């Protein structure tokens, strides 16, 4: 997904706007063939984001599926750097605000890293009644033109933490990308709160044997969403030597790298799938964010003129986040009585449903505050 057709040069785009297949949608020469009037969806990602087998790829696939279904054109841009991303955004804003046709255009900004630019420029699109903006992963609505969407991960991560706290003798490690991204800190807090709530239901002896700690791949900046194979392997071996049994990687594409390294080296660790379902033996459950479903819903709303809400907050109760158990792997948990030598029970779907309902309540309580 990092092929050159995703990274369109700014100099070319100044002359013409292209779909992913390079179908022209805007020409400066009036003598050329008439441009298509089919609605266009453009997505601008964070730097080097596509190809993460996670959150960003889910957005890409969701956009392409709905475009094929509804007959839309798409242009998906994965810049190589943050600065290049800003150039793409400026170019898109310039084209959209000055367009003299009636082509409906939706610009989707998939990263909160462009927040200053979006909030400083979104009113420019008010000059074009056929242009619209959808800004993802922000809790704060835009002043002026544009809609916002935030998928809270707190409830699903809370449910995951509740499950992990019940696991017999777990020593789990939350691996966050960074401390600067609200979606990351929101998710890690949810997992931590769920784990602590679960510990309170164990006997004192059981609780003393279950542990949760956390670390960040980027301690000072806003990175940490990718990691080299060699670095991932070094960290996994370091954590194994520290008796870590379970990795909870809340770090975008880096999560896939950790999973791949565990699979290829057979490191004796469990990894929790984040954003997508990890269908492998080393993942006992996955915490999934269905951003692909959410983006297709927003595009459907957009096509019905005026139907896309100003701001949408979706989460566990809405079915846009979810905890999925791996059907091929049992999860062994502490017995309620704590009786030593008793047969260790497995987590059942009935137990999980109780944890799910608790997590929904906790997420709703948090969002009301």
């Amino acid at each position: 997904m990092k092929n050159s057709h995703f990274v369109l040069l700014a100099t070319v785009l100044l002359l013409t706007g292209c779909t992913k297949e390079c179908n022209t949608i805007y020409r400066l020469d009036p003598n050329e063939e008439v441009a298509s009037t089919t609605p266009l969806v453009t997505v601008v990602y964070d730097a080097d984001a596509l190809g993460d087998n996670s959150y960003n790829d889910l957005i890409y696939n969701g956009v392409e599926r709905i475009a094929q279904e509804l007959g839309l054109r798409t242009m998906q841009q994965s810049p190589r750097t943050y600065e290049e991303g800003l150039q793409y955004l400026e170019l898109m804003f310039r084209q959209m605000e000055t367009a003299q046709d009636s082509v409906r255009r939706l610009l989707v900004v998939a990263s909160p890293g462009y927040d200053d630019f979006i909030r400083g420029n979104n009113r420019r699109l008010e000059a074009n009644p056929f242009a619209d903006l959808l800004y993802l992963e922000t809790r704060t609505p835009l002043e002026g033109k544009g809609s916002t969407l935030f998928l809270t991960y707190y409830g699903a991560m809370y449910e995951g933490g509740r499950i992990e706290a019940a696991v017999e003798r777990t020593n789990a490690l939350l691996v966050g990308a960074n401390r600067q991204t609200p979606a990351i800190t929101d998710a890690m807090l949810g997992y931590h709160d769920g784990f602590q709530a679960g510990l309170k239901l164990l006997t004192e002896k059981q609780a003393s044997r279950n542990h949760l700690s956390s670390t960040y791949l980027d301690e000072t900046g806003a990175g940490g969403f990718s990691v080299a194979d060699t670095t991932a392997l070094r960290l996994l071996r370091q954590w194994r030597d520290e008796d870590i049994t379970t990795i909870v990687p809340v770090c975008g594409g880096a999560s896939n790298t950790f999973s791949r390294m565990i699979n290829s080296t057979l490191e004796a660790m469990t990894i929790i799938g984040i954003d997508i379902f990890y269908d492998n033996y080393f993942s006992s459950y996955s915490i999934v964010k269905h951003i692909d479903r959410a983006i297709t819903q927003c595009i459907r709303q957009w096509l019905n003129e005026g139907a896309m809400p100003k701001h949408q907050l979706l989460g566990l109760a809405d079915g846009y986040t979810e905890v999925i158990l791996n059907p091929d792997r049992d999860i062994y948990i502490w017995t309620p009585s704590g009786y030593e030598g008793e047969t260790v029970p497995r987590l059942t779907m009935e137990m999980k449903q109780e944890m799910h309902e608790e997590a929904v309540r906790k997420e709703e309580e948090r969002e009301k505050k």
Side-chain angles (χ1 to χ4, degrees):
M1 289 190 177
K2 297 179 183 177
N3 294 334
S4 59
H5 62 267
F6 288 119
V7 185
L8 307 180
L9 295 177
T11 53
V12 174
L13 282 170
L14 285 172
L15 299 177
T16 178
C18 298
T19 66
K20 184 166 66 71
E21 293 79 16
C22 249
N23 299 318
T24 302
I25 55 95
Y26 178 56
R27 293 181 182 274
L28 297 181
D29 186 349
N31 295 320
E32 293 188 5
E33 63 183 82
V34 177
S36 172
T37 59
T38 302
L40 171 68
V41 177
T42 300
V43 187
V44 177
Y45 296 89
D46 206 350
D48 202 31
L50 282 181
D52 63 356
N53 291 320
S54 186
Y55 176 84
N56 293 286
D57 284 6
L58 287 173
I59 295 175
Y60 173 86
N61 292 330
V63 169
E64 292 302 314
R65 282 198 304 268
I66 194 67
Q68 183 176 17
E69 177 186 337
L70 301 178
L72 308 176
R73 291 172 299 156
T74 66
M75 180 164 60
Q76 306 221 36
Q77 301 179 4
S78 183
R80 292 165 294 186
T81 64
Y82 171 74
E83 290 72 23
E84 189 171 76
L86 289 178
Q87 292 175 359
Y88 285 153
L89 287 173
E90 172 58 32
L91 184 59
M92 292 299 100
F93 271 73
R94 195 183 314 158
Q95 288 188 352
M96 292 172 73
E97 69 180 327
T98 60
Q100 299 300 308
D101 54 39
S102 59
V103 175
R104 296 193 63 186
R105 295 175 173 87
L106 174 64
L107 174 61
V108 181
V109 180
S111 170
Y114 302 118
D115 191 79
D116 289 344
F117 180 92
I118 295 302
R119 298 187 186 279
N121 290 274
N122 62 301
R123 289 187 181 276
R124 293 165 57 183
L125 300 183
E126 294 173 357
N128 182 356
F130 303 103
D132 214 336
L133 170 67
L134 175 60
Y135 178 26
L136 306 182
E137 295 300 340
T138 177
R139 288 181 174 274
T140 307
L142 293 170
E143 295 183 6
K145 193 161 190 176
S147 298
T148 50
L149 171 69
F150 187 81
L151 265 63
T152 176
Y153 229 174
Y154 182 88
M157 293 294 289
Y158 183 102
E159 183 178 335
R162 278 287 283 109
I163 292 173
E164 194 62 38
V167 174
E168 186 186 36
R169 294 181 177 86
T170 185
N171 186 11
L173 177 66
L174 271 168
V175 183
N178 60 72
R179 303 173 189 269
Q180 312 302 321
T181 304
I184 297 295
T185 55
D186 181 74
M188 294 184 70
L189 178 63
Y191 199 91
H192 174 272
D193 289 352
F195 191 90
Q196 293 303 315
L199 286 185
K200 295 177 181 178
L201 301 179
L202 303 179
T203 67
E204 183 177 351
K205 186 174 183 179
Q206 289 171 345
S208 69
R209 295 179 178 179
N210 282 15
H211 304 280
L212 175 67
S213 54
S214 62
T215 188
Y216 293 89
L217 297 179
D218 185 348
E219 286 286 354
T220 58
F225 293 102
S226 62
V227 62
D229 288 3
T230 52
T231 301
L233 186 57
R234 175 180 57 79
L235 288 172
L236 288 171
R237 288 173 174 168
Q238 172 189 322
W239 297 332
R240 179 198 59 195
D241 292 342
E242 296 170 357
D243 294 324
I244 298 298
T245 61
T246 303
I247 306 296
V248 188
V250 193
C251 45
S255 303
N256 183 60
T257 306
F258 285 122
S259 177
R260 184 160 43 80
M261 288 297 99
I262 288 176
N263 284 333
S264 63
T265 62
L266 301 180
E267 294 290 341
M269 285 183 181
T270 294
I271 184 165
I272 306 306
I274 301 294
D275 286 341
I276 60 175
F277 176 62
Y278 281 2
D279 186 16
N280 63 62
Y281 175 78
F282 296 98
S283 181
S284 53
Y285 60 91
S286 295
I287 307 172
V288 179
K289 179 179 283 191
H290 298 294
I291 186 62
D292 51 341
R293 297 181 189 172
I295 198 72
T296 57
Q297 171 181 288
C298 289
I299 292 174
R300 289 184 189 279
Q301 293 169 337
W302 167 67
L303 284 177
N304 298 320
E305 187 171 354
M308 189 161 59
K310 186 68 176 174
H311 180 70
Q312 296 184 79
L313 175 68
L314 303 172
L316 189 62
D318 309 292
Y320 285 93
T321 62
E322 181 181 11
V323 176
I324 303 175
L325 301 183
N326 188 339
D328 297 323
R329 181 170 177 178
D330 291 325
I331 298 177
Y332 295 96
I333 61 175
W334 288 107
T335 61
S337 65
Y339 175 71
E340 297 296 335
E342 188 175 344
T343 300
V344 179
R346 296 173 176 84
L347 180 72
T348 66
M349 293 305 297
E350 290 75 17
M351 295 175 185
K352 179 183 179 298
Q353 182 61 29
E354 291 180 3
M355 296 177 183
H356 172 78
E357 292 171 359
E358 176 186 340
V360 168
R361 292 194 301 271
K362 292 297 183 179
E363 183 172 84
E364 291 176 345
E365 290 172 3
R366 184 169 185 268
E367 292 303 328
K368 289 178 181 178
K369 294 181 180 179

